[in-house]
Coordinates of all heavy atoms in Angstrom, one line a residue:
S1274 N 117.5 97.0 163.5 CA 117.1 97.0 164.9 C 115.9 97.8 165.2 O 115.1 97.5 166.1 CB 118.3 97.5 165.8 OG 118.6 98.8 165.4
T1275 N 115.7 98.9 164.4 CA 114.5 99.7 164.6 C 113.3 99.0 164.2 O 112.2 99.0 164.9 CB 114.6 101.0 163.7 OG1 115.8 101.7 164.1 CG2 113.4 101.9 163.9
R1276 N 113.4 98.2 163.1 CA 112.2 97.4 162.7 C 111.9 96.3 163.7 O 110.8 96.0 164.0 CB 112.5 96.8 161.3 CG 112.6 97.7 160.2 CD 112.4 97.0 158.9 NE 113.3 95.9 158.8 CZ 114.5 95.9 158.3 NH1 115.0 97.1 157.9 NH2 115.2 94.8 158.2
L1277 N 113.0 95.7 164.3 CA 112.7 94.6 165.2 C 112.2 95.1 166.5 O 111.4 94.4 167.2 CB 114.0 93.8 165.4 CG 114.5 93.1 164.1 CD1 115.8 92.4 164.4 CD2 113.5 92.1 163.6
L1278 N 112.7 96.2 167.0 CA 112.3 96.7 168.3 C 111.0 97.4 168.3 O 110.3 97.4 169.3 CB 113.4 97.7 168.8 CG 114.8 97.0 169.2 CD1 115.7 98.1 169.6 CD2 114.6 96.0 170.3
S1279 N 110.6 98.0 167.2 CA 109.3 98.7 167.2 C 108.5 98.1 166.1 O 109.0 97.8 165.0 CB 109.5 100.2 167.1 OG 110.2 100.5 165.9
G1280 N 107.2 98.1 166.2 CA 106.3 97.6 165.2 C 105.8 98.7 164.3 O 104.9 98.4 163.5
T1281 N 106.3 99.9 164.4 CA 105.8 101.0 163.6 C 106.2 100.9 162.2 O 105.5 101.4 161.3 CB 106.3 102.3 164.2 OG1 107.7 102.3 164.2 CG2 105.7 102.6 165.6
G1282 N 107.3 100.1 161.9 CA 107.7 100.0 160.6 C 106.9 99.0 159.8 O 107.1 98.9 158.6
S1283 N 106.1 98.2 160.4 CA 105.3 97.2 159.7 C 103.9 97.7 159.4 O 103.3 98.4 160.1 CB 105.2 95.9 160.6 OG 104.4 95.0 160.0
K1284 N 103.4 97.3 158.2 CA 102.1 97.8 157.8 C 101.0 97.0 158.6 O 99.9 97.4 158.5 CB 101.9 97.6 156.3 CG 102.0 96.1 155.8 CD 101.9 96.0 154.4 CE 102.0 94.6 153.9 NZ 101.9 94.5 152.4
H1285 N 101.4 95.9 159.2 CA 100.4 95.1 160.0 C 100.3 95.5 161.4 O 99.6 95.0 162.2 CB 100.8 93.6 159.9 CG 100.8 93.1 158.6 ND1 99.6 92.8 157.8 CD2 101.8 92.7 157.7 CE1 99.9 92.3 156.6 NE2 101.3 92.3 156.6
A1286 N 101.1 96.5 161.8 CA 101.0 96.9 163.2 C 99.7 97.6 163.5 O 99.2 98.4 162.7 CB 102.2 97.9 163.5
P1287 N 99.1 97.3 164.7 CA 97.9 98.0 165.0 C 98.1 99.5 165.3 O 99.2 99.9 165.8 CB 97.4 97.2 166.3 CG 98.6 96.6 166.8 CD 99.5 96.3 165.7
K1288 N 97.1 100.2 165.0 CA 97.2 101.7 165.2 C 96.5 102.1 166.4 O 95.4 101.5 166.8 CB 96.7 102.4 164.0 CG 97.5 102.0 162.7 CD 96.9 102.7 161.5 CE 97.6 102.3 160.2 NZ 97.1 103.0 159.0
G1289 N 96.9 103.1 167.0 CA 96.2 103.7 168.1 C 96.9 103.4 169.5 O 97.6 102.4 169.6
P1290 N 96.7 104.2 170.5 CA 97.3 104.0 171.8 C 96.7 102.9 172.6 O 97.2 102.5 173.6 CB 97.1 105.4 172.4 CG 95.9 105.9 171.8 CD 95.9 105.4 170.4
Q1291 N 95.5 102.3 172.1 CA 94.8 101.3 172.9 C 95.4 99.9 172.7 O 94.9 98.9 173.2 CB 93.3 101.3 172.5 CG 92.5 102.5 172.9 CD 92.7 103.6 171.9 OE1 93.2 103.4 170.8 NE2 92.2 104.8 172.3
T1292 N 96.5 99.8 171.9 CA 97.1 98.4 171.7 C 97.6 97.9 173.0 O 98.4 98.5 173.7 CB 98.3 98.6 170.7 OG1 97.8 99.2 169.5 CG2 98.8 97.2 170.4
S1293 N 97.2 96.6 173.3 CA 97.5 96.0 174.5 C 99.0 95.5 174.5 O 99.6 95.3 173.4 CB 96.6 94.8 174.8 OG 96.7 93.8 173.8
T1294 N 99.4 95.1 175.6 CA 100.8 94.6 175.7 C 100.9 93.3 175.0 O 101.9 93.0 174.3 CB 101.2 94.5 177.2 OG1 101.1 95.7 177.8 CG2 102.7 94.0 177.3
R1295 N 99.9 92.4 175.2 CA 99.9 91.1 174.5 C 100.0 91.2 173.0 O 100.7 90.5 172.3 CB 98.7 90.3 175.0 CG 98.7 88.9 174.4 CD 97.5 88.1 174.9 NE 97.7 87.9 176.4 CZ 96.8 87.3 177.1 NH1 95.6 86.8 176.6 NH2 96.9 87.2 178.5
E1296 N 99.2 92.2 172.5 CA 99.2 92.3 171.0 C 100.5 92.8 170.5 O 101.0 92.4 169.5 CB 98.1 93.3 170.7 CG 96.7 92.7 170.9 CD 95.6 93.8 170.6 OE1 96.0 95.0 170.4 OE2 94.4 93.4 170.6
R1297 N 101.1 93.7 171.3 CA 102.4 94.2 170.9 C 103.5 93.1 170.9 O 104.3 93.0 170.0 CB 102.9 95.4 171.8 CG 102.2 96.7 171.5 CD 102.9 97.9 172.1 NE 103.1 97.7 173.5 CZ 102.2 98.2 174.5 NH1 101.1 98.8 174.1 NH2 102.5 98.0 175.7
R1298 N 103.4 92.2 171.9 CA 104.3 91.1 171.9 C 104.1 90.2 170.7 O 105.1 89.7 170.1 CB 104.2 90.4 173.2 CG 104.7 91.1 174.4 CD 104.5 90.3 175.7 NE 105.0 91.1 176.8 CZ 104.9 90.6 178.1 NH1 104.3 89.5 178.3 NH2 105.4 91.3 179.1
K1299 N 102.9 89.9 170.4 CA 102.6 89.0 169.3 C 103.1 89.6 168.0 O 103.7 89.0 167.1 CB 101.1 88.8 169.1 CG 100.5 87.9 170.2 CD 99.0 87.7 170.0 CE 98.4 86.8 171.1 NZ 97.0 86.5 170.9
Q1300 N 102.9 91.0 167.8 CA 103.4 91.6 166.6 C 104.9 91.6 166.5 O 105.5 91.4 165.5 CB 102.9 93.1 166.6 CG 101.4 93.2 166.4 CD 100.9 94.6 166.7 OE1 101.7 95.4 166.9 NE2 99.6 94.8 166.6
Q1301 N 105.6 91.8 167.7 CA 107.1 91.8 167.6 C 107.6 90.4 167.3 O 108.5 90.2 166.6 CB 107.7 92.2 169.0 CG 107.4 93.7 169.3 CD 107.9 94.1 170.6 OE1 108.5 93.3 171.3 NE2 107.7 95.4 171.0
S1302 N 106.9 89.3 167.9 CA 107.3 87.9 167.6 C 107.1 87.6 166.2 O 107.9 86.9 165.6 CB 106.6 87.0 168.5 OG 106.9 85.6 168.2
H1303 N 106.0 88.1 165.6 CA 105.7 87.8 164.2 C 106.7 88.5 163.3 O 107.2 87.9 162.3 CB 104.3 88.3 163.9 CG 103.9 88.0 162.5 ND1 103.8 86.7 162.0 CD2 103.6 88.9 161.5 CE1 103.4 86.8 160.7 NE2 103.3 88.1 160.4
A1304 N 107.1 89.7 163.7 CA 108.1 90.4 162.9 C 109.5 89.7 163.0 O 110.2 89.6 162.0 CB 108.3 91.9 163.4
R1305 N 109.8 89.2 164.2 CA 111.1 88.5 164.3 C 111.1 87.2 163.5 O 112.1 86.8 162.8 CB 111.4 88.2 165.8 CG 111.9 89.4 166.6 CD 112.5 88.9 167.9 NE 111.6 88.2 168.7 CZ 110.8 88.8 169.6 NH1 110.8 90.1 169.8 NH2 110.0 88.1 170.4
S1306 N 110.0 86.5 163.5 CA 109.9 85.2 162.7 C 110.1 85.5 161.2 O 110.7 84.8 160.5 CB 108.6 84.5 163.0 OG 107.5 85.3 162.5
R1307 N 109.4 86.6 160.7 CA 109.6 87.0 159.3 C 111.0 87.4 159.0 O 111.5 87.2 157.9 CB 108.6 88.1 159.0 CG 107.2 87.6 158.8 CD 106.3 88.7 158.2 NE 106.2 89.8 159.1 CZ 105.5 90.9 158.8 NH1 105.0 91.1 157.6 NH2 105.4 91.9 159.7
S1308 N 111.7 88.0 160.0 CA 113.1 88.4 159.8 C 114.0 87.2 159.7 O 114.9 87.1 158.9 CB 113.6 89.3 161.0 OG 115.0 89.6 160.8
I1309 N 113.7 86.1 160.5 CA 114.5 84.9 160.4 C 114.2 84.2 159.1 O 115.1 83.7 158.5 CB 114.1 84.0 161.6 CG1 114.6 84.6 162.9 CG2 114.7 82.6 161.4 CD1 114.1 83.8 164.1
E1310 N 112.9 84.2 158.6 CA 112.6 83.7 157.3 C 113.4 84.4 156.2 O 113.9 83.7 155.3 CB 111.1 83.7 157.1 CG 110.3 82.8 158.0 CD 108.9 82.9 157.8 OE1 108.5 83.8 156.9 OE2 108.1 82.3 158.4
S1311 N 113.5 85.7 156.3 CA 114.2 86.4 155.3 C 115.7 86.1 155.3 O 116.4 86.0 154.3 CB 114.0 87.9 155.5 OG 114.6 88.3 156.7
D1312 N 116.2 85.8 156.6 CA 117.6 85.4 156.7 C 117.8 84.0 156.0 O 118.8 83.8 155.4 CB 118.1 85.3 158.1 CG 118.1 86.7 158.8 OD1 118.1 87.7 158.0 OD2 118.1 86.8 160.0
E1313 N 116.9 83.1 156.2 CA 117.0 81.8 155.6 C 116.9 81.9 154.1 O 117.7 81.2 153.4 CB 115.8 80.9 156.1 CG 115.9 80.6 157.6 CD 114.7 79.8 158.0 OE1 113.8 79.5 157.2 OE2 114.6 79.4 159.2
D1314 N 116.1 82.8 153.6 CA 116.1 83.0 152.1 C 117.4 83.5 151.6 O 117.9 83.0 150.6 CB 115.0 84.0 151.8 CG 113.6 83.5 152.1 OD1 113.5 82.2 152.3 OD2 112.7 84.3 152.2

Side-chain angles (χ1 to χ4, degrees):
S1274 59
T1275 304
R1276 294 198 309 270
L1277 294 179
L1278 292 176
S1279 63
T1281 57
S1283 175
K1284 61 182 180 180
H1285 300 286
K1288 300 179 182 180
Q1291 292 83 9
T1292 305
S1293 63
T1294 303
R1295 181 175 299 177
E1296 292 176 351
R1297 286 197 301 270
R1298 290 179 179 175
K1299 290 181 178 180
Q1300 293 168 1
Q1301 291 176 4
S1302 176
H1303 184 62
R1305 285 196 299 271
S1306 64
R1307 283 190 295 176
S1308 176
I1309 293 174
E1310 292 175 0
S1311 64
D1312 292 342
E1313 294 177 359
D1314 295 340

